[in-house]
Amino acid sequence: MNAGVSPTDLVLGLAVPVIGYLLFAVVRFLWTVFRNFRFGRQFPSPPYHWLYGNIHLIDGHLGEAYLSMTRDVVKKHPRAHAFWMSGFMPPVNVTHPATIKQLLKAPTKKSSDYDELRPWLGNGLIMSDGEVWKVHRRLLTPAFHFDILKQYVSVYNQAAEEMIEKL
């Protein structure tokens, strides 16, 4: 009886878990792509290509072409639209104040993507949900009242003028 491990057994012993993990990663990636695609299709968008999305409409960079295209899309779809960064990544742009207000007022369950930021950001308004979110939001709301913000208009104007000079 041979007590040693043959090279074939060693290769198979290492290859099977690696192939299994790669297969799992590919299936998970494809499921995420499918879920994102299904979500993005719910919103109107400019014509997009399955591989490179709407990038062909903006000359490859976010500049005047992007702003012009965004203005046209917002005129056609004033509440929200999808802008496909690639054929399977549809960030949704919400543009109507009423829709934005509904989103900001609604306490939602945070994505698990936020969990990685929790050690740095703690459980404040950005990270919390439910009752904790409500309490934090009520505490912060008075700080953004119009009368309080009025005293900062001159500071905003000065900063905007400095920024415009630098452009």
Side-chain angles (χ1 to χ4, degrees):
M1 186 160 146
N2 188 357
V5 178
S6 73
T8 306
D9 291 340
L10 183 63
V11 169
L12 284 176
L14 293 174
V16 169
V18 170
I19 291 171
Y21 175 76
L22 289 175
L23 184 62
F24 171 76
V26 167
V27 168
R28 185 173 162 201
F29 172 76
L30 291 175
W31 175 250
T32 302
V33 167
F34 172 72
R35 196 177 67 210
N36 288 345
F37 184 76
R38 195 175 64 207
F39 172 74
R41 295 279 307 214
Q42 296 175 15
F43 294 91
S45 72
Y48 62 92
H49 186 269
W50 69 270
L51 180 61
Y52 53 81
N54 299 120
I55 298 297
H56 67 287
L57 298 175
I58 62 168
D59 302 331
H61 63 279
L62 301 177
E64 184 57 39
Y66 173 73
L67 291 175
S68 175
M69 191 254 332
T70 301
R71 278 188 221 108
D72 294 341
V73 173
V74 169
K75 284 179 186 173
K76 290 179 188 172
H77 312 287
R79 291 211 173 262
H81 66 276
F83 180 80
W84 296 76
M85 299 302 284
S86 65
F88 49 87
M89 288 179 53
V92 175
N93 298 319
V94 180
T95 53
H96 194 275
T99 308
I100 294 170
K101 184 176 181 180
Q102 286 176 344
L103 288 174
L104 291 176
K105 281 189 162 188
T108 59
K109 177 92 173 94
K110 303 293 187 206
S111 166
S112 61
D113 297 336
Y114 283 85
D115 292 340
E116 295 177 24
L117 301 173
R118 194 170 302 280
W120 294 314
L121 297 177
N123 288 327
L125 185 63
I126 294 173
M127 300 299 294
S128 62
D129 52 13
E131 286 301 314
V132 174
W133 178 85
K134 271 186 184 175
V135 169
H136 288 200
R137 186 174 178 280
R138 284 187 188 138
L139 289 171
L140 280 174
T141 298
F144 294 98
H145 191 273
F146 183 71
D147 292 335
I148 292 173
L149 294 177
K150 263 198 277 188
Q151 60 190 350
Y152 295 105
V153 169
S154 61
V155 176
Y156 296 149
N157 288 340
Q158 182 182 357
E161 288 171 6
E162 289 177 15
M163 184 183 76
I164 290 170
E165 286 175 10
K166 290 179 182 179
L167 294 176

